[in-house]
Amino acid sequence: MSGKRALITGITGQDGAYLAQFLLGQGYEVHGLLRRSASADVIGARLKWLKIDGRIILHDGNLTDLSGLIRVMKDVQPQEVYNLAAQSFVKSSWQQPLLTGTVTGLGAVNILEAVRLANPEARFYQASSSEMFGLIQEPIQSEKTPFYPRSPYAAAKLYAHWMTVNYRESFDMHASNGILFNHESPLRGIEFVTRKITDGVARIKLGLQEKLSLGNLDAKRDWGHARDYVKAMWLMLQQEVPDDYVIATGRTASVREFCQFAFNHVGLNMEDHVVVDERFLRPAEVDILLGNAEKAKAKLGWAAETTLEELVAEMVEADLQRLTSQEHL
Ligand code: NAP
Ligand code: G4F
């Protein structure tokens, strides 16, 4: 054991699960914030998938409830706090702008306050997002690129980002923002485009479905693997000086290309199966994202390890396996 304790909000999500696995591997005692749900059977599915569910200490709490967060902070006294909890689905943020602002924006301030009031020496990580670049102001985005949010989600993340900078500068807190570009995995939520594609491809291959309905096939993203990206979060908190870092692969690809890789992997043609359905279009789109992670490479020694082709193959294989063994995730 390293003797270190970490508290992760959003531990039941994609990144929370991989980060918990990574920190356990580093000898940490890992604590997670769990919001109460009536569907207790589905909570923790990702932690179970990684076979680490029995090794995490869970605490009831919600990002919108400051007093509960202070209680958890006092009980756990973590050396490191990772704020990964959010309403993270961009499309939903137009339907639920106030909820998104409350959880994704103000929720980050609640946890910053809990740290400041109950455990000010703790190091803090905020899950910032490349979505904040939105209508891109430079063809390749770095820490110096101006932000231009294009969704209620991105606006909420931008508020949380600047509040993290503000707490660092005002209260001398060790608080860092990871500006992470899209990262995916077999544990990605089914509503996000990559997992929707790999699940759809697996269903079509197994004869369970014929068509896959998608929105904007021309949107481009810089897609990496979540397992690689959680290491960068940890590395940021190991630095003497807190700072903000872009985490990206430096390669962009369209939704269409992602589809082609996934269909090709199982020997099918996307043209035979993909249909465009305007219900999946957005009121405002982020057309393209492409990150420059040179600062992370120079200061953290971090670089993406998984190629897009490897990521797609791993996700399709996991979905084929899940569907044939009737696992649900
Ligand atoms: P995710 O799978 O959607 O997980 C979100 C987590 O937040 C879940 O554990 C969820 O709990 C929790 N949560 C939601 N509302 C909450 C509340 N009110 N109180 C407490 N917990 C709450 O997201 P992810 O992909 O792992 O991303 C992790 C973080 O990184 C998010 O903040 C996301 O916005 C940000 N980010 C992600 C990416 C990416 O490409 N994945 C890129 C940049 C930034 P339930 O399980 O109960 O729903
Ligand atoms: O997979 P997406 O829903 O991810 P999006 O909007 O880029 O957001 C993700 O990455 C952000 C980092 O930049 C995170 F902050 C955020 O929390 C989340 O993890 O959509 C990707 C692209 C979009 O341009 C969308 O319009 O795919 C396009 N798309 C095309 N058809 C679709 C679909 N997206 C979804 N979800 N579903 C479709 O059918």
Side-chain angles (χ1 to χ4, degrees), residues 10-16 33 35 46 61-64 84-88 103 127-130 153 157 180-184 188 192:
I11 195 156
T12 54
Q14 170 189 256
D15 292 8
L33 190 78
R35 65 169 166 163
R46 295 184 172 92
N62 195 300
L63 221 56
T64 58
L84 309 186
Q87 190 305 92
S88 77
V103 177
S128 271
S129 167
S130 56
Y153 166 82
K157 277 286 178 192
L180 271 52
F181 282 62
N182 297 50
H183 45 281
E184 320 294 314
R188 187 55 142 154
F192 297 93

Side-chain angles (χ1 to χ4, degrees), residues 264-310:
N264 288 351
H265 183 75
V266 295
L268 294 173
N269 247 328
M270 74 170 273
E271 285 74 22
D272 299 332
H273 301 283
V274 171
V275 288
V276 172
D277 182 335
E278 62 180 33
R279 282 181 305 146
F280 298 111
L281 299 176
R282 296 173 179 192
E285 179 62 285
V286 172
D287 295 323
I288 178 166
L289 291 172
L290 175 58
N292 170 357
E294 281 307 312
K295 178 175 168 184
K297 192 172 181 190
K299 297 208 169 171
L300 306 177
W302 181 89
E305 290 167 36
T306 314
T307 66
L308 183 56
E309 290 79 358
E310 288 166 345

